[in-house]
Amino acid sequence: MTGGKPFYITTPIYYVNDSPHLGHAYTSVACDALARFMRLDGRNVLFLTGTDEHGQKVAKSARDAGLAPLEFCDRVSQNFRTMTKLMDISNDQFIRTTEERHVKASQAIWQAIAGNKSPKGRDNIYLGKYAGWYAVRDEAFYGEDELVKGADGAKRAPSGAEVEWVEEPSYFFRLSDWQDGLLAYYDAHPDFIAPKSRRNEVVSFVKGGLNDLSVSRTSFDWGVPVPGNPKHVMYVWLDALTNYLTATGYPDTQAAAYKTFWPADIHVVGKDIVRFHCVYWPAFLMAAGLEVPRRVFAHGWWTVEGHKMSKSLGNFVAPQQLVEQYGVDAVRYFMLRELPFGSDGDFSRRAVVGRINGDLANDFGNLAQRVLSMIQSYCGGKLPEPGALKAADENLLASARALLAKARTEMAEPAFHRALETIWQVVGDANRYVDEQTPWTLRKTDTARLGTVLYTLAETIRHLAILAQPFVPETAAKLLNQLSIPPGQRDFAALATALIPGTVLPKPVGIFPRYVEAAAAP
Ligand code: MSP
């Protein structure tokens, strides 16, 4: 832990029985870039991810696998840890909802909610009977009016998931009494839901009136037992959302981590789970007398080569396969650069290769390679001493120095694509500067000027590499190594320093290789 201002960021916890795919990798990479940015900016970051392990869906998968639910979860949860490592995710904690600490936290929030009255003075939780539709795939209840007709004519959830009719005793959360409280909260916190379009959807949904929510199930037992009535298990979303509190030490509200990090600064979620995070979650928290997170940001969905990704369509994209083919940083860069954060986008191999060979290899890779090789061969591998700066040098350095402030603005949204665009504008400026200054000529005509030009370029690359770290951490580290920058000099505070002339640089090795399509098998 550092002394900086705290920043608590979470991914959703992934359904443990899923096979990790592009969509999961995307949510994790986006959070990771933001977490890394904040750490480099001196913030005291807690970055949480993990697996969602209870509920009917997981119980069914365990049964299909012929395993006891916990044994099943123990095996498959590892798949997400592996994905996390593969994508170079710098999470501080990996939570599993089957952990004892989490069961304790879930029961505690239940008791806190049940122990308080609703704004209308009624019990927040009451026993009743649920009779309605349930989609196991979404682990969500749906009203008749929300259902749509599938291609086969059967009723479906709006997500396309199959629904089943459920009738069973259930505890209800008095969500209807929280309508005004929620609307007042959205009003007072205009940035709570982002992007704006999602906020509008949520506000109109809540304005339309809220039904009480079934928060326990009795027809299966794979879940957190309801305190005082173990015939019921808690509705998996109430348990799952609570993971964000568990990681801070809740129910110990005196715990250092709770005091430091709650309320969370940002929950990053996919657009499909906005209602859970922006309606149910703040209502549960208000009912429990706890603070509501500062922000929920909903990102869009990827299609693959123009189609919805699915195993049955054969276009399921596993992160492992992507990383093996393109390299982890190229995949991270592509995901964050290709589409505005919050919008939907299409993942196509053509687009990935276009970014790799364009932005990465041709622009940034080439810049680094040209400059570092010239320092090697023209300056004996030592950073040259700059002389008096000309306007062109001042301009390039000024645009590099202006990057941090711009990146901060973009990352506050967060708008990863714009942050990257801004950084790459300076990559472009630097490449143009090389072409204009022609150091290969200066070498013969004016070695003092050559030193100034190469120093200016090296210093610009230092800025670029430091700022690129959150997005392409492995490659940025390689580049910083090639500039002989010690590990303690790589955070944003170090941007205020400058390279020391005379520093010996190692022999350059290429960063961001071009992607060459393997020849088709004969
Ligand atoms: N377990 C719940 C979350 C509970 S949080 C308290 C869940 N898990 S999930 O594994 O289904 O989804 C996790 C994340 O992956 C979601 O944010 C979801 O939007 C995202 N994606 C799943 N498929 C996706 C795409 N095709 N594209 C982009 N993201 C998508 O929901």
Side-chain angles (χ1 to χ4, degrees), residues 365-382 439 443 454 461 479 482-483 505-511:
N366 198 24
L367 171 71
Q369 184 67 17
R370 291 211 274 181
V371 172
L372 294 170
S373 312
M374 285 190 279
I375 295 177
Q376 259 331 292
S377 51
Y378 303 166
C379 313
K382 270 195 196 153
R443 180 196 181 196
L454 289 181
I461 293 175
L479 191 49
Q482 297 191 51
L483 287 169
L505 306 190
K507 282 226 159 13
V509 284
I511 56 161

Side-chain angles (χ1 to χ4, degrees), residues 12-15 18 21 23-24 27 52 237 240-241 243-244 269-270 272-273 277 299-302 309:
I13 43 171
Y14 303 109
Y15 285 126
D18 275 1
H21 59 59
H24 304 123
T27 314
D52 186 353
W237 270 99
L241 288 159
N243 91 88
Y244 303 133
V269 302
D272 53 321
I273 52 177
H277 284 83
H299 66 67
W301 268 47
W302 288 97
M309 181 172 45

Side-chain angles (χ1 to χ4, degrees), residues 14 18-29 79-89 304 309 311 315-332 335 347 349:
Y14 303 109
D18 275 1
S19 304
H21 59 59
L22 174 69
H24 304 123
Y26 182 54
T27 314
S28 289
V29 165
N79 296 338
F80 280 96
R81 276 187 207 263
T82 305
M83 184 275 280
T84 301
K85 296 231 156 45
L86 183 80
M87 298 311 300
D88 214 351
I89 305 302
V304 174
M309 181 172 45
K311 278 195 176 144
N315 67 348
F316 180 88
V317 178
Q320 171 95 29
Q321 166 204 338
L322 285 178
V323 168
E324 277 169 15
Q325 190 167 5
Y326 302 114
V328 61
D329 280 351
V331 176
R332 289 174 61 111
M335 287 176 162
F347 192 96
R349 306 219 166 242

Side-chain angles (χ1 to χ4, degrees), residues 19 45 54 98 101 147 180 212 281 326 432 492 514:
S19 304
V45 173
H54 289 130
T98 44
R101 60 174 179 155
L147 300 184
D180 292 345
D212 290 349
W281 183 224
Y326 302 114
R432 270 186 299 280
F492 295 160
R514 280 186 73 76

Side-chain angles (χ1 to χ4, degrees), residues 96-424:
R96 297 184 52 193
T97 53
T98 44
E99 286 173 53
E100 190 51 44
R101 60 174 179 155
H102 177 70
V103 170
K104 204 169 121 197
S106 303
Q107 291 182 327
I109 197 172
W110 178 287
Q111 278 166 321
I113 296 171
N116 290 335
K117 293 288 182 207
S118 82
K120 296 192 176 156
R122 303 192 279 186
D123 286 338
N124 270 321
I125 291 185
Y126 60 91
L127 189 57
K129 185 174 164 206
Y130 180 76
W133 297 102
Y134 192 77
V136 177
R137 198 182 83 192
D138 301 348
E139 295 285 15
F141 302 95
Y142 291 105
E144 183 76 44
D145 54 335
E146 287 181 285
L147 300 184
V148 296
K149 242 197 190 136
D152 54 359
K155 288 182 200 292
R156 298 262 168 171
S159 60
E162 283 177 24
V163 289
E164 60 187 37
W165 184 257
V166 169
E167 272 191 44
E168 61 188 37
S170 171
Y171 284 98
F172 283 82
F173 170 63
R174 210 173 298 271
L175 185 61
S176 55
D177 280 7
W178 288 93
Q179 181 182 10
D180 292 345
L182 284 168
L183 291 172
Y185 188 83
Y186 304 147
D187 240 17
H189 302 87
D191 294 330
F192 172 57
I193 307 168
K196 275 266 168 326
S197 55
R198 301 285 164 220
R199 174 188 156 83
N200 297 341
E201 279 167 27
V202 170
V203 170
S204 68
F205 172 74
V206 174
K207 278 192 175 151
L210 296 170
N211 295 323
D212 290 349
L213 180 71
S214 167
V215 284
S216 76
R217 305 286 314 266
T218 38
S219 49
F220 62 91
D221 63 2
W222 182 235
V224 176
V226 165
N229 192 348
K231 283 203 187 88
H232 291 245
V233 290
M234 284 168 59
Y235 173 38
V236 63
W237 270 99
L238 172 51
D239 140 12
L241 288 159
T242 303
N243 91 88
Y244 303 133
L245 281 171
T246 307
T248 68
Y250 181 83
D252 179 4
T253 52
Q254 292 313 305
Y258 181 87
K259 290 215 265 189
T260 308
F261 293 110
W262 195 258
D265 291 271
I266 185 166
H267 294 315
V268 175
V269 302
K271 63 177 184 179
D272 53 321
I273 52 177
V274 166
R275 190 182 296 181
F276 301 97
H277 284 83
C278 300
V279 181
Y280 303 163
W281 183 224
F284 293 151
L285 288 165
M286 288 194 249
L290 297 169
E291 278 186 88
V292 173
R294 295 183 217 282
R295 209 138 181 260
V296 176
F297 192 105
H299 66 67
W301 268 47
W302 288 97
T303 49
V304 174
E305 309 287 350
H307 298 281
K308 198 172 161 189
M309 181 172 45
S310 85
K311 278 195 176 144
S312 52
L313 279 178
N315 67 348
F316 180 88
V317 178
Q320 171 95 29
Q321 166 204 338
L322 285 178
V323 168
E324 277 169 15
Q325 190 167 5
Y326 302 114
V328 61
D329 280 351
V331 176
R332 289 174 61 111
Y333 177 82
F334 173 79
M335 287 176 162
L336 298 174
R337 177 67 186 84
E338 187 68 4
L339 53 118
F341 199 54
S343 306
D344 293 336
D346 186 50
F347 192 96
S348 75
R349 306 219 166 242
R350 220 183 103 241
V352 178
V353 173
R355 289 277 177 205
I356 293 179
N357 289 345
D359 305 9
L360 300 183
N362 215 28
D363 298 343
F364 202 175
N366 198 24
L367 171 71
Q369 184 67 17
R370 291 211 274 181
V371 172
L372 294 170
S373 312
M374 285 190 279
I375 295 177
Q376 259 331 292
S377 51
Y378 303 166
C379 313
K382 270 195 196 153
L383 260 180
E385 183 85 43
L389 298 186
K390 291 193 174 172
D393 318 330
E394 301 272 16
N395 287 345
L396 183 61
L397 289 172
S399 61
R401 290 187 188 124
L403 275 178
L404 175 60
K406 289 187 185 164
R408 275 191 186 131
T409 308
E410 305 302 3
M411 295 300 272
E413 291 223 9
F416 302 106
H417 64 297
R418 285 211 302 268
L420 287 168
E421 203 174 18
T422 312
I423 297 171
W424 256 255

